[in-house]
Amino acid sequence: MIKRALPYEGLLHEVVEHDGVLYIGGIVPEDTSLDMSGQANDVLGQLSRLLETLGSDLAHVLQVTIYMTNLKEKAEFNAAWKAHFTAAHLPARAAIGVADLGPGVKLEMTATAARIR
């Protein structure tokens, strides 16, 4: 059975679940005035809170794709990343450079996670 949650503007569902696997659509920062570190912490915090409501947590994230408008800011992103994920629970990940994500948006992130409860 496929469950869909959090519809957005008739374009997508923010979360689709199948067999206990959560597929999470693009998360962007709520405060686009922040630098890369701030936006990364914003997005990772949103992911953590969303997972908690879905019966999971950051330790059960399987894969993440990060889209960045400036890959030169990857070190700042990585510092925030390490503050949110423990070494024992690092997911597979890819960072992809893109031209534009919208005004002030430095990154967008998708994730796949296992539901644990």
Side-chain angles (χ1 to χ4, degrees), residues 89-108:
H89 297 108
L90 290 169
R93 115 178 188 190
I96 301 166
V98 297
D100 184 35
L101 292 169
V105 178
K106 294 180 172 286
L107 72 137
E108 182 170 349

